[in-house]
Amino acid sequence: MSMDRLQKLIIEKKNPTVVGLDPRPEYVPPQILAEQIATHGETLEAAAEAFYLFNRGLIDALCDIVPAVKPQSAYYEMLGPAGVLALYKTVNYAKSKGMYVILDGKRNDIGSTAEAYAEAYLGRVTVGNAKLPAFDADSLTVNAYLGSDGILPFLEMCKQFDKSIFALVKTSNPSSGELQDLLCGDRNLSTAVGDLMARIARDTIGEYGYSAIGAVVGATYPSDAQVLRRRLENTFFLVPGYGAQGGGAADVAPCFDRYGRGAIINSSRAILCAWKKTEAGDGSDYQEAARQEALRMQKDIAQVVAIC
C-alpha cells in the first residue's frame, strides 16, 4: 500500500518530514536564474527551467535524509506550459531518487471531471491501446468538501495503481474556522469530513494501519489535531503550518499516534530559502543550507516524537 511505503521511508530515515517544493523566482539562487535568462531571455521558460534546476539541486542534497517532497502545482502553473513541464520533470526526478512525491494540487470535482483529474495525477490515460501515466505522483492532495462524489474517482485510482490521497480536513489558514468549525450535530464540519474519509477508505488499510486516504491537518490548530488523531486511528496526517506559518514541534506532536507514526510534517520556505540566511547569502551554498535546515527540523521534531 502507498501509505505503507511512505511510513517505511519515514522509519528508515527517522525523519517524518516532507519538503514543499514551492519555488518563486526570488527563492531561486540568483546565479541559477541568471544563467537561464542568459539562455532564454526574460521569459517564463527561463523561470521554469530555473525552478527545475533549483529543485534538482535540492533533491540531490536532501534525498538521503528526507523521505518525501511536495511540489505545489500553483507555483508551476503560474509559468504556463513551461512551468507545468518543470513540475512533471520535478516529480520524475524526485521519484528517481527514491523519494515519495505528494503532488499538492488540491484537486476536486465530480463525475467525469474528477475521473480526469484522478487519471492525470495518479492513474493512466488511455491512448489507443496504450494506458499511459501522465504526472504519476505517489499521492495527491484533494478537496473533500464536495462530498464522496468528488473523492471516489481518486480512491479508485489509489486502489488500481497503489497511490494515496490527502483530503483537506482541518487546514492551517487563519480563516479555516469560518467553515470548518461549524457545528454539525455533535461534531464540527472538519471532523465530519474526516469521519467520511475514514469510512469510505476503510477497505484500504495497509500493514501499518493506515488507509489510502490521508488528512491534511494544520499544525496551527494543535487541539483540533489532537481530537482528530484520537478519532481517526487509521488516517495518515499531512501537516502544514510548521515553521513560516507559526507552528512548532510541540504543535505537531499531537498529529502522531502512540508509536510516533501516522504523520508527516511539511516545511517549504524555511528550507528553500535557507541560503538567504547563510554567511555567503548569495545562493552559492543553497544545497548545504537546505540540508542543514532539514536536519535542524528533523532534530526539532525528534524532541517531541520518537520514530519507531
Side-chain angles (χ1 to χ4, degrees):
M1 298 293 290
S2 185
M3 290 297 191
D4 289 335
R5 289 191 283 113
L6 176 56
Q7 184 61 68
K8 185 177 180 181
L9 282 169
I10 290 170
I11 292 170
E12 287 175 352
K13 298 182 187 303
K14 297 188 183 302
N15 190 358
T17 69
V18 54
V19 175
L21 296 178
D22 305 347
R24 296 185 64 89
E26 60 268 28
Y27 298 171
V28 177
Q31 68 274 20
I32 296 177
L33 185 58
E35 288 173 2
Q36 296 310 308
I37 289 175
T39 301
H40 302 286
E42 293 182 335
T43 62
L44 297 177
E45 288 75 16
E49 188 62 16
F51 281 14
Y52 173 59
L53 293 174
F54 182 41
N55 288 345
R56 276 188 65 127
L58 292 168
I59 291 166
D60 287 343
L62 300 170
C63 63
D64 64 320
I65 58 171
V66 175
V69 291
K70 184 178 70 65
Q72 162 55 258
S73 62
Y75 292 93
Y76 303 88
E77 292 171 18
M78 71 180 185
L79 300 181
V84 174
L85 179 58
L87 173 61
Y88 169 79
K89 293 193 297 184
T90 294
V91 170
N92 284 343
Y93 191 72
K95 290 180 67 175
S96 77
K97 292 294 185 175
M99 302 185 89
Y100 192 91
V101 178
I102 304 169
L103 204 160
D104 193 356
K106 299 182 177 67
R107 295 301 193 252
N108 189 253
D109 215 302
I110 58 173
S112 59
T113 309
E115 292 173 5
Y117 276 137
E119 289 171 3
Y121 290 104
L122 302 174
R124 302 290 185 272
V125 178
T126 300
V127 181
N129 294 319
K131 292 187 179 296
L132 307 171
F135 288 97
D136 200 27
D138 295 300
S139 187
L140 176 71
T141 60
V142 298
N143 187 340
Y145 282 83
L146 271 70
S148 59
D149 285 352
I151 296 297
L152 291 175
F154 294 96
L155 182 58
E156 181 57 32
M157 290 297 103
C158 292
K159 292 176 179 178
Q160 285 189 39
F161 299 105
D162 188 24
K163 306 290 187 178
S164 72
I165 56 175
F166 285 94
L168 301 182
V169 173
K170 177 58 181 175
T171 57
S172 60
N173 56 302
S175 65
S176 64
E178 292 174 359
L179 295 176
Q180 295 167 22
D181 292 352
L182 293 175
L183 289 177
C184 302
D186 63 347
R187 56 187 178 168
N188 60 28
L189 181 56
S190 61
T191 302
V193 172
D195 289 347
L196 174 62
M197 297 300 102
R199 186 166 68 252
I200 65 177
R202 63 182 178 270
D203 64 341
T204 65
I205 295 172
E207 176 186 350
Y208 286 101
Y210 304 107
S211 74
I213 301 182
V216 177
V217 177
T220 47
Y221 298 101
S223 59
D224 292 288
Q226 186 173 42
V227 171
L228 289 165
R229 179 73 283 162
R230 290 172 180 167
R231 193 176 188 107
L232 305 176
E233 294 182 355
N234 302 117
T235 302
F236 206 104
F237 287 5
L238 170 61
V239 186
Y242 175 93
Q245 293 187 49
D251 300 310
V252 305
C255 296
F256 294 88
D257 65 19
R258 62 187 180 276
Y259 302 110
R261 299 173 182 173
I264 191 164
I265 316 303
N266 179 75
S267 179
S268 300
R269 277 172 288 171
I271 293 176
L272 269 63
C273 298
W275 62 268
K276 294 188 176 186
K277 297 181 179 180
T278 67
E279 185 175 349
D282 60 0
S284 60
D285 57 353
Y286 80 94
Q287 288 176 293
E288 183 59 24
R291 185 179 179 87
Q292 290 306 313
E293 174 59 24
L295 289 169
R296 186 211 61 79
M297 180 182 177
Q298 178 187 21
K299 184 177 180 180
D300 187 37
I301 295 173
Q303 294 180 69
V304 298
V305 61
I307 305 301
C308 60

